[in-house]
Amino acid sequence: MNIFILFLVALFMAGYFLMDSPSQNIAAHDTDTAVATADLRSIAQCTAAAHNAMLNGDTFDDFCVTQNNITSQQICLNNRGAITKCEIVRRTKPDASFVITIADAVPDDRYNAMMEILGDDFPDVGTFGIYQDGKIISGGTTHPRSVPKNIVSNMKIANGQLVYLTQYEMPDADTEFAAPDPIDIKCPVGTVATYRFSRWQCIGINTKTNCAGDMIWDSELLECVPDESRKPLCAEKQTAVMIDDIWECVNPFPDKACGGNMVARLNYSTLEWECVDDPTITPEVKKCTAAVQGAVYGPLGATLRIPTTSCTDCEKMITNADTCVSACVPDPDKLSDPRCYAGGAHPCDGPNQAFYFGFPNRTYVTRVSAVANYTVPIDAAHSQNRRFNCMDCGARGIDATRSLPPYIVVCNPGEQ
């Protein structure tokens, strides 16, 4: 009987020791510390995310922002340190521009834990830390950063609050150019109307143009075309293609798979394939009320060239009132001009003869609304010289259903 009682007492003592042992208390204490540290780290990360979103002009809408009373604000100061509007007035910018984000105060007994988190996760951010008596105490090796007094009073910052402060330079305003008035002058042959120095002028047409890269000027097409003499000899399984007006050897079979409206392109700096926007896709042109052109930048001493639309003597320039895009189209009024019709005084009339225009390519055709419902032939039988030509169909006659003189002339099929 005494042996049984001793066994029960031993069993009871062993259970009590296991339930109240120091190792169990230490495990529970470590878990509580880990949870508290994780909460502090989430507050710091949420504050940094809201601050970065404000810098990028976005909004970080997360539950943690409301939970921790995180607010971000853009504040600008003048030369006297007073708060002013964050805008450029008569080309004068504020003397200092800031983006500041604040969160709830950190408990006194968690200061050291928050400092360790800032030192580990944000070691190089000297302006992200705990506010204390006018300064930001960060967790890195940087010195405390002072906060302007007017910002402290404006946002009512108190000791112990988590503060993220960034000072930035406000960018200059873009230069806008007003659209010129409608053209009101007529220029003689060999000149073209050009808007220069706030007025329209008749400027002589430059028939020669310096082409960039591996391009060469074509005097018949009056445009830059690839220079075949500069085409390189590429390695095996590679082919030479024109990329940004430069001959480059590329692998025609890349392993890179790209998404919609994207194509694979070899980056010669890293020798890796990368996905870029498909250059063959024409971007949507939005309607506009005025032509706005950004400021042109370049290195000191560089010659900057603004792209222009150059028309021949047989064309006229039109501007789309919706898109403000200018283009050259055939001018039927120039049929009698010897520059536009090589036949000179030789007539081009009768049932089997008519004028047609030498459209250079399909892109040019899309700009001419007069031929929108017709198919323009671009082949060996039709010249692409951007002038008016005489088509003699002979006994075959002209196909009236497919022709639109003086833009398009198609002969009936059959022997001439």
Side-chain angles (χ1 to χ4, degrees):
M1 185 66 177
N2 293 334
I3 295 175
F4 180 71
I5 293 175
L6 291 174
F7 176 76
L8 291 177
V9 172
L11 186 63
F12 174 76
M13 294 299 293
Y16 176 79
F17 177 78
L18 290 175
M19 293 177 61
D20 198 38
S21 63
S23 62
Q24 297 294 325
N25 290 337
I26 292 174
H29 176 72
D30 291 344
T31 301
D32 294 340
T33 303
V35 171
T37 302
D39 290 341
L40 292 177
R41 180 174 284 105
S42 66
I43 295 174
Q45 292 174 347
C46 185
T47 303
H51 188 78
N52 292 332
M54 184 72 177
L55 289 174
N56 295 325
D58 299 328
T59 302
F60 182 67
D61 295 327
D62 190 270
F63 177 73
C64 67
V65 175
T66 305
Q67 186 180 33
N68 300 288
N69 294 323
I70 298 175
T71 58
S72 297
Q73 187 173 342
Q74 182 185 21
I75 299 179
C76 297
L77 305 177
N78 58 19
N79 57 358
R80 297 187 302 274
I83 294 179
T84 183
K85 293 183 178 180
C86 292
E87 59 185 26
I88 300 176
V89 180
R90 292 189 294 274
R91 298 184 179 182
T92 301
K93 296 186 295 185
D95 287 82
S97 305
F98 300 90
V99 169
I100 184 169
T101 303
I102 61 176
D104 279 341
V106 180
D108 295 343
D109 59 343
R110 305 302 296 163
Y111 270 28
N112 292 336
M114 179 59 81
M115 285 299 181
E116 292 180 2
I117 292 172
L118 295 174
D120 293 339
D121 298 348
F122 308 93
D124 300 326
V125 184
T127 57
F128 186 21
I130 298 176
Y131 178 79
Q132 195 68 245
D133 297 329
K135 295 183 179 181
I136 298 175
I137 311 299
S138 63
T141 59
T142 57
H143 296 289
R145 170 67 184 268
S146 299
V147 182
K149 294 181 180 180
N150 285 330
I151 295 181
V152 175
S153 60
N154 180 267
M155 298 196 69
K156 299 179 181 179
I157 305 174
N159 287 341
Q161 284 190 281
L162 197 61
V163 178
Y164 198 155
L165 178 69
T166 297
Q167 184 174 359
Y168 68 97
E169 179 70 18
M170 183 176 293
D172 296 328
D174 293 336
T175 302
E176 296 186 358
F177 300 93
D181 296 331
I183 185 171
D184 57 355
I185 62 172
K186 292 183 179 180
C187 296
V189 176
T191 62
V192 63
T194 305
Y195 193 79
R196 298 178 60 193
F197 307 114
S198 303
R199 64 186 181 90
W200 287 101
Q201 302 179 31
C202 293
I203 305 298
I205 298 176
N206 183 10
T207 58
K208 294 183 179 181
T209 302
N210 293 327
C211 302
D214 295 331
M215 307 289 283
I216 189 173
W217 180 253
D218 190 314
S219 58
E220 294 184 358
L221 299 179
L222 297 179
E223 63 183 13
C224 293
V225 297
D227 187 355
E228 295 294 333
S229 64
R230 298 184 182 181
K231 188 174 182 179
L233 295 176
C234 299
E236 186 179 1
K237 296 183 180 180
Q238 286 192 331
T239 182
V241 296
M242 291 292 294
I243 300 178
D244 295 335
D245 299 336
I246 300 293
W247 284 113
E248 295 186 9
C249 294
V250 298
N251 187 344
F253 304 106
D255 296 331
K256 186 77 171 180
C258 300
N261 299 335
M262 304 285 286
V263 294
R265 176 173 172 179
L266 185 64
N267 187 327
Y268 281 89
S269 298
T270 61
L271 296 180
E272 294 180 355
W273 287 93
E274 59 186 11
C275 292
V276 298
D277 293 333
D278 189 347
T280 62
I281 298 178
T282 304
E284 180 183 359
V285 180
K286 299 181 180 179
K287 292 184 178 181
C288 62
T289 57
V292 179
Q293 179 178 336
V296 180
Y297 299 94
L300 185 62
T303 300
L304 303 180
R305 178 178 177 183
I306 301 176
T308 57
T309 303
S310 178
C311 300
T312 67
D313 295 329
C314 311
E315 300 166 332
K316 60 182 178 180
M317 183 184 297
I318 61 172
T319 301
N320 190 310
D322 291 332
T323 64
C324 298
V325 175
S326 298
C328 299
V329 298
D331 187 358
D333 296 337
K334 299 295 184 66
L335 282 173
S336 59
D337 192 329
R339 295 172 179 260
C340 300
Y341 172 48
H346 184 272
C348 186
D349 52 15
N352 300 326
Q353 290 183 332
F355 283 107
Y356 74 92
F357 188 78
F359 290 96
N361 49 55
R362 297 293 177 190
T363 303
Y364 187 106
V365 173
T366 60
R367 304 169 184 168
V368 185
S369 59
V371 298
N373 298 324
Y374 289 82
T375 299
V376 177
I378 299 179
D379 49 29
H382 294 77
S383 176
Q384 289 87 43
N385 57 4
R386 291 177 73 174
R387 293 186 294 180
F388 291 99
N389 306 272
C390 184
M391 174 64 73
D392 187 355
C393 294
R396 288 182 298 169
I398 298 175
D399 188 343
T401 60
R402 300 166 57 192
S403 301
L404 182 67
Y407 301 106
I408 306 171
V409 175
V410 180
C411 299
N412 288 315
E415 297 292 336
Q416 185 169 357

